[in-house]
Amino acid sequence: MRAALAEVNLSALVKNLQQVRTTAPGARVLAIVKADGYGHGLEAVAKALAQAPQAADAFGVASIDDALRLRQCGINERIVLLSGFDELADFPYIEQLDLDCVVHHPSQLALLKQAQPKKPMRIWLKIDTGMRRLGFFPAQVTEVIDQLKQILAPGSEWVVMSHFAQSDEIGNRRSLYELHAAEQSAKQIRAFDALALSGYPQSLANSGAILGAPEAHRQWIRPGGLLYGLSTHSDACGHELGFTPVMRLSTRLIATKIIEAGDAVGYGGGFIATKRMRIGIAAIGYGDGYPRHASGGAPVWVAGHLSKTVGRVAMDLLSIDLTGIDHAEVGANVVLWGPELPVEHIARAAGTISYELTCGITRRVRFRYTDEK
Ligand SMILES: *Cc1c(COP(=O)(O)O)cnc(C)c1O
């Protein structure tokens, strides 16, 4: 059997939820589980968060398919469609599955008018305070709320929300970039507050702002990455921010060999040995979701020691420097990321963020759910 294995520690997930609650006391938690729970497995993640003490209050997904999966596995909490609906055919699902919908664009108001929902709806009205992605401009908001009141059945409810463009860097304010990011977020908060929407529940903060901008906590927080122990901060890993890594990606060595000075390793011969050395070949590659951009020198944990990759990452295989790790033989455990080795370090080596790596695990990797305390 192929050794590539993703272990998902559900105790760590629940601990991170509690840590989020401690950080933003009093706020309700919309747990973001889009993209298959950031690659950790939608159903398992949502069930653990729903059964936890001080459970998540609602779940956020990006598609009706994901919402259906959540209902089918017994999730009764509110589920928010983070981009709302985009065609009339969505409405029967929204009604049957009892989904909350983000409304962010005039085209959705037109769809709502056509759909004429008879039952009350729960709408998350999204305002673009500076992200320039989804959301109504502040100047449109009063008019949009008036229209919604006319279209929607009596008893409908609203949350008003916005999303930060640079919340990842507002934590430490050590660098000019962080100062700039903090200023950008402060501007977005001011634009939001200028609308004086205090009559509605509000939601602004994703992970970065939960940590870095307490003034943005409001009634609903929207943690994603932090629940999984992930950081997007440029110089702090999840565990340095007080969160526990949830995923461990591991495999085993399936070959070892001694190569001579001048030998080139792997496709393209990108690594050339400068001396006689021992290398190991691990059963994992970009076909499993290990990033090919982490070729040549990315950190890797092998037989209990920190080492690095040599040469290019292939589809099924990865070569590792075994210098000084003489006990690492065929069968030795290799951790690509996890509690032993922060996924943020691999992300940095690959020029991306941790979220992309956990989301990118492919279907041939086996998943195992654990409860390690
Ligand atoms: C994905 C998402 C989040 C979660 O962001 P994190 O940085 O993972 O906490 C929050 N809000 C919205 C609207 C999102 O799409």
Side-chain angles (χ1 to χ4, degrees):
M1 199 189 291
R2 209 175 150 73
L5 175 70
E7 287 164 281
V8 175
N9 181 353
L10 297 173
S11 293
L13 181 80
V14 166
K15 201 168 141 206
N16 290 334
L17 171 62
Q18 285 159 353
Q19 182 67 16
V20 162
R21 287 217 184 264
T22 308
T23 312
R28 286 199 270 176
V29 174
L30 169 56
I32 305 296
V33 294
K34 63 195 183 193
D36 209 22
Y38 288 44
H40 293 68
L42 178 63
E43 287 87 352
V45 159
K47 278 199 248 175
L49 293 173
Q51 288 160 10
Q54 296 188 292
D57 300 288
F59 293 93
V61 295
S63 71
I64 289 179
D65 299 83
D66 281 0
L68 179 61
R69 284 170 62 189
L70 287 178
R71 289 289 183 238
Q72 279 173 343
C73 79
I75 296 294
N76 296 318
E77 284 74 14
R78 288 169 68 170
I79 298 176
V80 182
L81 280 179
L82 292 171
S83 309
F85 40 84
D86 52 22
E87 53 184 342
L88 271 181
D90 292 342
F91 285 90
Y93 292 96
I94 289 166
E95 191 181 315
Q96 271 169 31
L97 301 174
D98 192 22
L99 306 181
D100 288 33
C101 292
V102 168
V103 169
H104 59 83
H105 194 267
S107 62
Q108 292 179 306
L109 297 177
L111 278 174
L112 266 177
K113 267 188 204 146
Q114 279 179 272
Q116 293 196 334
K118 299 279 177 298
K119 287 194 184 165
M121 290 185 75
R122 291 183 303 270
I123 299 294
W124 294 60
L125 181 64
K126 189 159 187 175
I127 304 167
D128 180 354
T129 54
M131 175 74 144
R132 301 297 176 255
R133 204 176 57 178
L134 299 186
F136 294 99
F137 288 117
Q140 299 173 287
V141 169
T142 320
E143 159 81 26
V144 170
I145 292 180
D146 284 347
Q147 284 196 43
L148 282 173
K149 283 181 177 161
Q150 286 171 23
I151 302 168
L152 295 176
S156 295
E157 295 170 38
W158 288 270
V159 176
V160 285
M161 67 180 289
S162 193
H163 198 49
F164 290 113
Q166 299 184 25
S167 69
D168 307 328
E169 302 296 339
I170 53 186
N172 300 321
R173 307 185 189 183
R174 278 180 301 218
S175 68
L176 273 178
Y177 180 63
E178 282 167 350
L179 280 174
H180 175 77
E183 180 45 32
Q184 161 72 16
S185 301
K187 252 194 228 165
Q188 289 193 241
I189 294 173
R190 282 197 296 274
F192 189 85
D193 286 343
L195 291 168
L197 297 166
S198 55
Y200 301 100
Q202 305 181 354
S203 178
L204 295 173
N206 65 341
S207 293
I210 289 167
L211 290 179
E215 66 273 33
H217 289 168
R218 311 291 162 106
Q219 284 72 39
W220 282 94
I221 52 172
R222 306 192 304 268
L226 287 183
L227 295 175
Y228 311 97
L230 303 174
S231 163
T232 53
H233 204 282
S234 57
D235 57 16
C237 307
H239 77 87
E240 291 164 331
L241 299 170
F243 292 81
T244 311
V246 172
M247 182 190 287
R248 176 192 284 116
L249 180 66
S250 68
T251 188
R252 285 195 292 271
L253 291 185
I254 57 168
T256 61
K257 60 184 44 172
I258 291 170
I259 60 172
E260 303 297 332
D263 281 356
V265 177
Y267 287 123
F271 174 84
I272 297 171
T274 54
K275 55 178 180 8
R276 190 164 209 259
M277 66 185 285
R278 216 168 142 255
I279 61 169
I281 316 299
I284 198 149
Y286 62 79
D288 304 287
Y290 187 85
R292 187 170 176 278
H293 284 96
S295 294
V300 59
W301 187 262
V302 53
H305 291 263
L306 187 63
S307 185
K308 54 186 188 308
T309 65
V310 292
R312 277 194 201 158
V313 175
M315 190 181 286
D316 308 322
L317 300 170
L318 176 70
S319 305
I320 300 168
D321 186 352
L322 294 183
T323 304
I325 316 176
D326 298 338
H327 63 287
E329 295 292 352
V330 167
N333 188 246
V334 177
V335 176
L336 291 314
W337 59 71
E340 299 84 353
L341 177 61
V343 61
E344 290 85 356
H345 292 185
I346 317 308
R348 196 177 309 150
T352 183
I353 61 169
S354 56
Y355 295 12
E356 190 184 15
L357 298 189
T358 60
C359 281
I361 303 287
T362 66
R363 277 176 296 179
R364 77 176 181 192
V365 175
R366 281 179 303 132
F367 272 70
R368 181 188 294 158
Y369 292 90
T370 70
D371 274 307
E372 285 169 55
K373 298 292 179 223

